[in-house]
Amino acid sequence: MRIVNQQVCNLFILFFLTFFSIFGTAKIAIASDVLLMSGGVRGQGTLQRRGNECIVITPKHVVENSDFGVFATFPDRTETEAIVLERYAEDIALLRLETQPSDGCPDRAFNENQLKAILNSAADGVLKRRDETGAASLLQVDISGYNEHRLIYIEPRSSSKSIKQGFSGSVLYINSQAVGMLINNEKSGNETGLVLRAETINASIDPFFQSVQGERTLHLSLDSTSDFLLSDLHVVASRNKFAVGQDAASTSYDMHVSSELKTLNTDTDKLAEYSTRIVVSDTLDRIVVDQTFAVSGNSFVSLETAQANAQKQLAERIRQSNLLGELL
């Protein structure tokens, strides 16, 4: 009985030391991860910040059946839907979450610093994933080899353990550093896991993440009654140092402009009134600007002239407003 208790104690100490060596130092930025389900396929995802939202990095094959929906489970067991934003030639995909994690996410998920030197000296590491409950699960692995820049080969340290299909997307830590993402497993005698190295991952996804960090982008969506304001809104965007983008999914803000036009035509006067609402939302669909402009124009000549006068006043009001000033 005393021997059994000692063995249990030793196992507990080993687990504690392993966990602490990976996650117990404040100097290490730990990748936040989620459990993914897509069309019956289970996988893992890692979070990285882009602007004011957390984006999921996962192997592309995990979300091949994304038409059936992608669902993410956070460590606190809450669930949310996700949509695929980008797919890359390497086995990488990026997902946008409908609901953001309460704990946020790191600015950089995978660290390639000194990775070649680490691989030259390290013999083992830990594969981290989330299980069905959202809890973290660690697998001790041996480094069986690697090639330049692309792959690291790993094998379970214990012969009783295996690298299963649902592990795809798990993060490999070596010396407390997130150095890659599991993309596949192959069986040749002992089971070998294929880990995509941090350099390859970052080289693929960095342009997407830096597109928000390096510039402020705005997508414009105007209804037909507001089309005449397009050039004026470009001026407002430029004055506030926003670049206008064509793709709403890749811009940092989305501006919706809708107008209501009322006219009155009498024998003595022609009147046109515009009520224009401008709503700006961020990438989390949070409204950050909501302003309504009301103007009127009149004419003794024609209704068209009255409408043109109202349009001129409205454009001038918008140009002179501090419409995007709060976002500077």
Side-chain angles (χ1 to χ4, degrees):
M1 185 67 176
R2 185 176 299 173
I3 294 175
V4 172
N5 288 339
Q6 184 63 47
Q7 289 176 337
V8 172
C9 183
N10 288 341
L11 287 173
F12 178 81
I13 292 172
L14 176 61
F15 176 81
F16 178 82
L17 291 176
T18 300
F19 188 87
F20 183 82
S21 67
I22 299 170
F23 307 109
T25 171
K27 296 185 294 183
I28 301 300
I30 301 305
S32 302
D33 40 27
V34 295
L35 177 68
L36 298 174
M37 289 292 294
S38 175
V41 177
R42 179 181 298 153
Q44 307 288 317
T46 303
L47 301 177
Q48 179 169 310
R49 183 177 304 282
R50 180 180 187 256
N52 57 356
E53 68 176 321
C54 296
I55 298 294
V56 180
I57 307 166
T58 190
K60 182 169 57 177
H61 72 264
V62 170
V63 291
E64 283 177 340
N65 298 319
S66 60
D67 290 344
F68 298 97
V70 182
F71 300 90
T73 302
F74 297 125
D76 62 3
R77 300 188 184 185
T78 58
E79 295 184 356
T80 187
E81 290 190 49
I83 60 170
V84 179
L85 290 178
E86 300 285 342
R87 290 181 172 92
Y88 298 91
E90 294 288 354
D91 193 1
I92 305 171
L94 301 179
L95 315 180
R96 168 167 285 156
L97 296 165
E98 184 176 283
T99 303
Q100 291 292 291
S102 57
D103 293 336
C105 57
D107 293 329
R108 190 76 157 173
F110 297 97
N111 188 348
E112 60 194 75
N113 292 340
Q114 304 297 317
L115 182 50
K116 185 175 181 180
I118 291 172
L119 290 172
N120 282 335
S121 60
D124 56 15
V126 176
L127 198 63
K128 180 173 179 278
R129 65 182 181 88
R130 296 253 167 227
D131 63 20
E132 294 79 358
T133 69
S137 181
L138 308 178
L139 177 65
Q140 294 280 343
V141 296
D142 291 324
I143 310 300
S144 58
Y146 62 91
N147 59 29
E148 195 72 17
H149 301 305
R150 189 172 186 275
L151 291 175
I152 303 169
Y153 303 97
I154 61 173
E155 295 178 358
R157 170 161 295 184
S158 171
S159 59
S160 64
K161 302 293 184 179
S162 60
I163 298 174
K164 300 177 182 179
Q165 188 174 4
F167 289 12
S168 292
S170 300
V171 178
L172 175 64
Y173 287 87
I174 302 177
N175 295 347
S176 305
Q177 180 172 317
V179 299
M181 176 177 69
L182 182 72
I183 58 170
N184 208 343
N185 64 309
E186 57 182 17
K187 293 182 178 179
S188 54
N190 292 324
E191 191 176 74
T192 300
L194 308 182
V195 174
L196 200 60
R197 289 175 55 157
E199 304 102 317
T200 300
I201 298 171
N202 291 336
S204 297
I205 68 177
D206 275 355
F208 176 83
F209 284 90
Q210 292 171 357
S211 65
V212 165
Q213 297 168 358
E215 62 179 343
R216 294 151 54 81
T217 52
L218 179 69
H219 176 259
L220 300 177
S221 177
L222 287 72
D223 67 7
S224 57
T225 310
S226 309
D227 279 345
F228 68 93
L229 292 170
L230 185 61
S231 61
D232 298 286
L233 290 172
H234 272 267
V235 171
V236 171
S238 176
R239 186 177 65 208
N240 288 277
K241 301 178 182 179
F242 278 88
V244 177
Q246 300 299 316
D247 182 12
S250 61
T251 52
S252 49
Y253 294 96
D254 197 10
M255 175 184 286
H256 289 268
V257 185
S258 57
S259 295
E260 182 181 357
L261 172 62
K262 294 181 179 180
T263 60
L264 179 64
N265 191 353
T266 69
D267 293 336
T268 58
D269 198 10
K270 323 295 180 183
L271 181 67
E273 293 182 343
Y274 275 94
S275 177
T276 297
R277 184 185 181 193
I278 300 179
V279 177
V280 181
S281 55
D282 62 16
T283 54
L284 301 180
D285 292 327
R286 297 177 301 195
I287 295 177
V288 292
V289 173
D290 190 348
Q291 288 194 37
T292 299
F293 299 85
V295 299
S296 61
N298 69 311
S299 171
F300 298 110
V301 179
S302 67
L303 195 59
E304 289 76 13
T305 303
Q307 187 172 336
N309 290 337
Q311 289 180 353
K312 183 178 179 181
Q313 289 189 52
L314 179 59
E316 187 64 23
R317 284 274 304 278
I318 291 174
R319 278 174 176 258
Q320 292 180 354
S321 71
N322 192 34
L323 183 62
L324 300 176
E326 294 181 4
L327 304 180
L328 289 174

